[in-house]
């Protein structure tokens, strides 16, 4: 009997808590760390009857570089499917180089926001990298590993003619196999607003059809899974003992027929696991929010971004301040908590505009707020705007989506001024006596209390540092 090929799904080590997922790498703002969804979804494509599979999440396991290299050498994989982040690029590239140095026969495939552009140049620059995964949702990596190169979609690789790019295409009702949650240490992951542990990550669709100019997602083919595929995964998650779910879709309920089928199954089967998700204020109405509440949703994260209508139009959010107010009210009425994400530091933005954004976060009575400094992400028109405005140089590669280190000023405000305004935003929003009392009253479990205390402590340390 022939030996099973060994495949290692790898999240490299790092000096900080790096989150390299979904083409949006960042430093964890507090202490949160979800399952690495790129790797999780890739596990779905490989059968354990045909392959020897292993996950090594060096961030979750808090492994130092030397220890991680030793473990990889001991396992001696034939293939590595890994992550490379813009935020951690200066650490990731040397790490993979050292892997190839000690295991010269291993083939390395990787995905991440550091690999979104200039594929041919990157493959020439990094001989240790054998293929770039441009779409982790489909099975291009499986096809490449098994030698079926013509059918390997969503992947860029070397061939006898130089570099071959196989684009991914849009797929609807994809019958994806169940991602292999059992390969991940479920005790290692946490999210700041989960009221129970352990927590699993689920992805029901891929990318996003909306054209927000600062986001990479609209440049990728939108794909959806079938309701049956998602329900099979939810059943397994429950059997494995998970107590909370983070749906990491860019827009939950975008695929209305699929989402309704899944939610109705959750309700009728008494699924009984609470969950959170991202969505949009123009996607959810009273009917959708009501179904979500019945199915166990206790938090929805909305991309509010700005308090100025002009910016909502300019950056193609395609909804209004009034829609934001209405959806936040509907969600509160249903008894679901709301997190608003807000974007500050776009080209030309003034201090007054940012202060209006902070005030708007309080006006809509968000339960939580996340203030993010704009990042000129690869392959976006927003990046082109920043380059044309002379705010950044086109050679810029290392970026942190969390704003832990500010990438650019606005042309009016410096990077230092933006960092101060971000800290001010958190102080003005979270350090209100009425707000703090409201949050304490809303806590329903000891786990939720512990999560809030831990995350609150890390945020507090960041604010006073």
């Amino acid at each position: 009997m022939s030996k099973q090929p060994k495949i290692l799904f790898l999240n490299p080590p790092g000096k900080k808590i790096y989150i390299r997922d979904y083409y949006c790498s960042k430093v964890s703002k507090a202490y949160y760390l979800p399952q690495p969804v790129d790797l999780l979804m890739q596990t779905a494509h490989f059968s354990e009857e045909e392959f020897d599979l292993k996950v090594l999440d060096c961030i979750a396991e808090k492994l130092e570089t030397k220890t991680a290299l030793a473990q990889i050498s001991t396992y001696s994989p034939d293939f590595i499917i890994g992550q490379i982040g813009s935020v951690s690029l200066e650490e990731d590239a040397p790490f993979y180089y050292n892997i190839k140095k000690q295991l010269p026969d291993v083939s390395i495939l990787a995905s991440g926001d550091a690999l979104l552009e200039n594929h041919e140049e990157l493959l020439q620059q990094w001989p240790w990298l054998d293929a770039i995964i441009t779409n982790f949702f489909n099975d291009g990596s499986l096809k490449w590993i098994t030698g079926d190169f013509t059918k390997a979609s969503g992947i860029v690789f070397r061939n006898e003619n130089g570099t071959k790019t196989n684009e991914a295409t849009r797929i609807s009702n994809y019958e994806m196999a169940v991602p292999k949650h059992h390969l991940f240490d479920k005790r290692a992951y946490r999210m700041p607003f989960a009221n129970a542990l352990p927590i699993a990550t689920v992805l029901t669709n891929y990318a996003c059809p909306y054209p927000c100019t600062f986001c990479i997602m609209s440049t990728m083919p939108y794909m959806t899974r079938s309701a049956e595929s998602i329900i099979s995964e939810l059943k397994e998650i429950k059997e494995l003992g998970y107590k909370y779910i983070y749906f990491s879709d860019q827009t939950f309920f975008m695929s209305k027929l699929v989402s309704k089928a899944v939610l109705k199954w959750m309700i009728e089967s008494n699924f009984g696991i609470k969950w959170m998700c991202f969505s949009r204020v123009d996607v959810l109405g009273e009917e959708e929010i009501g179904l979500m509440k019945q199915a166990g949703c206790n938090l929805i994260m909305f991309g509010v971004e700005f308090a100025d209508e002009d910016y909502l139009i300019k950056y193609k959010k395609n909804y209004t301040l009034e829609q934001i107010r209405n959806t936040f009210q509907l969600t509160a009425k249903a008894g679901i908590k709301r997190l608003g994400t807000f974007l500050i530091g776009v080209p030309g933005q003034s201090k007054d505009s940012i202060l209006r954004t902070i005030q708007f976060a309080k006006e809509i009575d968000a339960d939580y707020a996340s203030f993010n400094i704009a990042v000129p992400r690869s392959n976006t028109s927003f990046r082109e705007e920043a380059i044309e405005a002379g705010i950044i140089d086109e050679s810029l590669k290392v970026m942190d989506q969390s704003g832990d280190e500010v990438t650019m000023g606005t042309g009016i405000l410096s990077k230092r001024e933006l960092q101060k305004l971000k800290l001010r935003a958190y102080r003005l929003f979270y350090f209100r006596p009425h707000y703090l009392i409201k949050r304490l009253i809303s806590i329903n479990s000891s786990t939720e209390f512990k999560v809030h205390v831990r995350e609150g402590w890390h945020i507090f340390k960041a604010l006073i540092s």
Side-chain angles (χ1 to χ4, degrees):
M1 185 175 179
S2 61
K3 179 177 76 78
Q4 287 180 312
K6 291 183 177 181
I7 302 178
L8 177 68
F9 299 90
L10 174 65
N11 186 17
K15 297 175 183 177
K16 299 179 180 180
I17 303 176
Y18 294 128
I19 299 172
R20 301 178 173 96
D21 291 359
Y22 217 160
Y23 314 112
C24 183
S25 66
K26 51 189 165 286
V27 174
S28 176
K29 287 183 180 178
Y31 192 62
Y32 69 89
L33 183 68
Q35 285 173 300
V37 70
D38 307 35
L39 303 182
L40 176 65
M41 302 311 288
Q42 286 285 302
T43 66
H45 306 308
F46 295 88
S47 166
E48 290 181 282
E49 294 179 357
E50 299 178 27
F51 299 95
D52 182 331
L53 306 179
K54 179 180 176 63
V55 169
L56 183 62
D57 188 340
C58 301
I59 298 294
E61 297 180 35
K62 301 178 182 178
L63 297 181
E64 295 183 353
T65 297
K66 185 177 180 181
T67 305
L69 287 170
Q71 289 194 20
I72 294 168
S73 182
T74 299
Y75 180 60
S76 189
D78 299 291
F79 302 92
I80 291 176
I81 296 176
Q83 295 180 298
I84 299 177
S86 292
V87 66
S88 52
L89 181 59
E90 293 177 346
E91 296 174 53
D92 295 351
F95 182 74
Y96 283 104
Y97 169 83
N98 284 323
I99 292 176
K100 197 80 163 189
K101 187 176 180 179
Q102 67 181 21
L103 296 172
D105 294 330
V106 70
S107 293
I108 298 176
L109 304 80
S111 67
D113 56 358
L115 307 175
L116 288 172
E117 297 179 312
N118 306 318
H119 299 137
E120 185 171 355
E121 177 185 323
L122 290 174
L123 289 172
Q124 290 177 352
Q125 178 184 347
W126 294 332
W128 47 263
L129 183 61
D130 295 286
I132 295 171
I133 300 169
T134 60
N135 184 314
F136 61 78
F137 200 69
N138 63 17
D139 64 353
S141 58
L142 170 64
K143 296 288 197 304
W144 189 88
I145 284 172
T146 56
D148 193 356
F149 301 121
T150 58
K151 294 182 180 179
S153 65
I155 195 165
V156 182
F157 55 94
R158 297 187 191 88
N159 63 11
E160 63 277 6
N161 298 318
T163 301
K164 180 74 168 68
T165 300
N166 289 355
E167 300 287 353
T169 56
R170 180 169 179 164
I171 302 173
S172 296
N173 291 315
Y174 183 24
E175 291 291 346
M176 176 180 280
V178 174
K180 295 173 177 57
H181 289 270
H182 62 276
L183 295 177
F184 295 79
D185 182 356
K186 65 184 180 184
R187 301 166 299 175
Y189 303 101
R190 60 263 176 189
M191 287 293 284
F193 310 110
N195 64 3
L197 293 171
I199 181 170
T201 297
V202 175
L203 191 66
T204 77
N205 59 49
Y206 175 84
C208 180
Y210 289 96
C212 309
T213 66
F214 50 79
C215 183
I216 186 64
M217 295 303 159
S218 64
T219 69
M220 300 176 177
Y222 179 66
M223 301 184 179
T224 62
R225 292 171 64 183
S226 69
E228 294 75 20
S229 166
I230 299 162
I231 290 168
S232 294
E233 182 177 4
L234 295 178
K235 289 178 179 178
E236 180 157 318
I237 283 170
K238 189 168 184 176
E239 289 175 3
L240 289 170
Y242 284 96
K243 303 299 183 185
Y244 198 88
I245 293 172
Y246 164 47
F247 285 101
S248 63
D249 304 8
Q250 294 296 305
T251 307
F252 189 84
F253 233 122
M254 185 63 235
S255 310
K256 291 191 180 294
L257 290 177
V258 172
S259 298
K260 283 183 179 180
V262 172
L263 294 180
K264 286 179 179 178
W265 173 83
M266 293 171 81
I267 295 166
E268 292 168 1
S269 66
N270 294 313
F271 184 58
I273 296 179
K274 298 293 184 183
W275 51 277
M276 68 171 78
C277 67
F278 281 99
S279 195
R280 286 175 55 101
V281 298
D282 57 346
V283 166
L284 301 183
E286 194 165 6
E287 178 190 359
E288 291 84 4
I289 292 169
L291 269 177
M292 293 167 73
K293 174 65 176 178
Q294 291 181 65
C297 179
N298 69 346
L299 174 70
I300 304 174
M301 296 172 277
F302 294 105
V304 177
E305 316 308 0
F306 308 106
D308 294 346
E309 296 275 9
D310 288 347
Y311 281 131
L312 291 174
I313 295 169
K314 178 179 179 180
Y315 293 108
K316 298 184 179 180
K317 289 304 297 182
N318 290 349
Y319 49 68
T320 66
L321 295 178
E322 193 58 31
Q323 285 177 292
I324 294 169
R325 293 185 181 99
N326 290 341
T327 303
F328 266 67
Q329 288 173 3
L330 284 173
T331 310
K333 183 180 177 181
I336 299 176
K337 291 179 180 178
R338 305 136 307 148
L339 181 148
T341 65
F342 301 88
L343 191 63
I344 62 177
V346 296
Q349 191 172 26
S350 67
K351 179 179 178 180
D352 285 344
S353 173
I354 293 171
L355 292 177
R356 284 195 296 273
T357 296
I358 299 168
Q359 182 58 36
F360 189 59
K362 294 188 286 185
E363 178 198 324
I364 60 177
D365 194 30
D367 296 285
Y368 309 101
S370 176
F371 297 97
N372 305 293
I373 297 178
V375 174
R377 296 167 68 182
S378 297
N379 210 29
T380 62
S381 58
F382 180 76
R383 180 181 178 86
E384 294 173 6
E385 178 192 358
I387 292 171
E388 289 173 5
I391 294 173
I392 64 165
D393 187 88
E394 59 184 333
S395 63
L396 176 69
K397 292 182 179 179
V398 178
M399 295 172 280
D400 178 7
Q401 181 67 19
S402 74
D404 185 56
E405 294 186 13
V406 181
T407 304
M408 66 181 197
T410 71
I412 296 173
L413 299 168
S414 68
K415 292 192 287 186
R416 181 175 176 80
E417 287 172 318
L418 281 177
Q419 187 66 277
K420 286 183 177 180
L421 280 167
K422 177 187 173 182
L423 295 177
R424 183 176 177 182
Y426 278 104
R427 293 190 188 104
L428 289 173
F429 184 86
Y430 283 105
F431 290 178
R432 294 173 286 158
H434 173 73
Y435 174 84
L436 292 171
I437 292 169
K438 181 180 176 182
R439 286 278 64 76
L440 286 170
I441 293 172
S442 71
I443 294 173
N444 295 316
S445 68
S446 59
T447 299
E448 187 176 5
F449 176 76
K450 291 174 184 176
V451 168
H452 274 66
V453 169
R454 183 178 59 201
E455 295 294 330
W457 172 243
H458 282 277
I459 291 173
F460 178 74
K461 286 197 299 182
L463 291 177
I464 64 174
S465 63

